[in-house]
Amino acid sequence: MDQPPRVVGLGEALFDCFPDRIVLGGAPVNFAVHADRLLNPTGGSGTILSRVGSDALGRKLTDELVQRGIDTGHLQHDPNYPTGTVDVRLTDEGQPDYTITPDVAWDHLDFDERARGLAESCQAVCFGTLAQRSKPARSSIQSFLESAADAIRMLDINIRRGYDLAPLLPRSIELATVVKLNEHELPLAAEILGLTTSGQPLAQLEALLDEGGLDAVALTRGSEGTLLMTKQGGFEGEPGSFNPNPDADSVGAGDACGAGLVAGMLLGLDPRDIVTLANAMGAHVASCPGATPPLPDRILDLVRR
Ligand SMILES: Nc1ncnc2c1ncn2[C@@H]1O[C@H](COP(=O)(O)OP(=O)(O)OP(=O)(O)O)[C@@H](O)[C@H]1O
Ligand SMILES: O=C(O)C(=O)C[C@H](O)[C@H](O)CO
């Protein structure tokens, strides 16, 4: 690595609103915070390119990023639209169900000169499909990815309700070098993309890797851990240790896992160690309340070696 890596979470910055509390969120924010923590020991950093309103929640969101040591220089302020919010309900199985407020500040993300500079200088970016639901942000996100030609570009599909994935997915995959998805998203993606497979998950992953022209595809499987499919074959690492706090929720486990994948790739870990790091990150966040709990030394030791 020639220079300390700079990693970008691109898309929605918002607050997760639980019945009794509001928590910093948005998959790209969670990703950037965790990537920052993992890369700090090697001089690297995570930042967020998003847009908040000129309102109290926007100021709170900025303050919370500052408290976590995240560069807010690429957080845009919209004069007309409010800061994003999401109502989070936990199902009886403890799985989060998200209701996402429409037409908020991050739907109006602008690809300005500052954003172009970030795209041209970053080493990795993580983006999803939700933030591409409206035309202004979709156009900005796609322009960013076109300008980040040399970066690892991880698409974390993160299907949510309220927008149509089908028209977004093919272009998002073309712009990605790595795709991360879960077991529910894989068959849907295979169908939308018309992948030629037998319908078995492994065959679907291989077809996505080949037909998508990707460097890697990561399948997240909750307590079963992550499977990383590359041109060299499939890799599983050590399982993450899962000792849940009584107030734990799995919000952000996938985002933390994605940060582990990208940090591991940038640090040049071998594929099994990349998956071990990703599993440790996902399991840690799934065992804590909130999406960006501090990381324990046993995880930081995986990147300090
Ligand atoms: N209960 C658990 N026990 C052990 N590891 C877990 C557990 N839950 C999550 N993990 C780890 O975290 C990773 C990501 O979790 P999960 O599969 O729930 O994410 P996801 O569906 O991608 O989430 P999101 O919708 O937030 O992106 C898993 O692949 C696994 O490594
Ligand atoms: O950003 C998303 O995909 C969301 O659904 C926001 C969530 O509330 C959560 O913070 C992401 O894991």
Side-chain angles (χ1 to χ4, degrees):
M1 223 172 350
D2 301 325
Q3 50 182 329
R6 182 135 77 137
V7 170
V8 182
L10 172 62
E12 65 278 13
L14 49 83
F15 278 102
D16 285 331
C17 304
F18 292 82
D20 57 342
R21 63 191 190 284
I22 69 168
V23 179
L24 180 68
V29 169
N30 300 335
F31 167 87
V33 169
H34 286 302
D36 186 77
R37 290 169 177 164
L38 289 173
L39 293 169
N40 267 183
T42 54
S45 61
T47 188
I48 172 86
L49 175 57
S50 187
R51 193 167 177 102
V52 294
S54 304
D55 51 20
L57 275 187
R59 288 188 287 281
K60 180 173 167 59
L61 197 147
T62 310
D63 288 348
E64 294 222 8
L65 288 171
V66 170
Q67 279 162 24
R68 288 165 174 80
I70 304 298
D71 164 27
T72 56
H74 298 278
L75 201 55
Q76 302 172 2
H77 296 265
D78 194 289
N80 301 314
Y81 295 92
T83 300
T85 52
V86 170
D87 282 325
V88 187
R89 190 185 66 89
L90 296 178
T91 65
D92 293 343
E93 293 77 44
Q95 287 308 307
D97 179 63
Y98 303 110
T99 304
I100 299 167
T101 310
D103 210 15
V104 293
W106 54 257
D107 285 303
H108 299 270
L109 182 70
D110 186 24
F111 185 61
D112 55 14
E113 278 312 302
R114 201 168 161 70
R116 181 185 299 280
L118 182 63
E120 289 172 353
S121 62
C122 71
Q123 280 72 33
V125 51
C126 177
F127 68 106
T129 56
L130 169 62
Q132 298 186 63
R133 69 183 177 177
S134 69
K135 194 159 181 284
R138 179 163 68 248
S139 156
S140 296
I141 288 171
Q142 295 187 358
S143 298
F144 184 100
L145 296 164
E146 285 158 8
S147 301
D150 299 328
I152 295 173
R153 300 181 299 277
M154 187 173 77
L155 168 64
D156 186 348
I157 293 186
N158 272 340
I159 301 176
R160 304 289 186 244
R161 281 195 311 271
Y163 62 99
D164 188 4
L165 179 70
L168 299 177
L169 196 58
R171 182 67 183 142
S172 296
I173 292 193
E174 270 173 24
L175 289 166
T177 60
V178 176
V179 169
K180 170 184 163 292
L181 74 184
N182 66 27
E183 292 166 291
H184 307 292
E185 292 161 343
L186 178 59
L188 274 170
E191 192 187 327
I192 292 172
L193 297 168
L195 297 180
T196 41
T197 79
S198 61
Q200 293 302 310
L202 265 185
Q204 288 174 332
L205 284 179
E206 280 167 356
L208 180 55
L209 184 75
D210 290 347
E211 296 177 35
L214 297 163
D215 295 332
V217 178
L219 180 69
T220 54
R221 302 174 299 185
S223 58
E224 302 295 308
T226 307
L227 172 64
L228 185 65
M229 184 62 73
T230 71
K231 289 170 189 143
Q232 286 70 47
F235 296 90
E236 294 180 292
E238 290 168 26
S241 99
F242 184 63
N243 299 307
N245 173 309
D247 297 323
D249 60 72
S250 69
V251 176
D255 310 330
C257 173
L261 291 169
V262 166
M265 288 174 188
L266 287 170
L267 294 170
L269 304 187
D270 73 51
R272 265 184 206 84
D273 292 339
I274 292 173
V275 180
T276 296
L277 175 61
N279 284 346
M281 291 291 293
H284 172 62
V285 170
S287 63
C288 295
T292 53
L295 300 181
D297 278 339
R298 68 179 165 74
I299 294 186
L300 292 171
D301 286 346
L302 298 173
V303 291
R304 281 186 190 130
R305 305 184 277 206

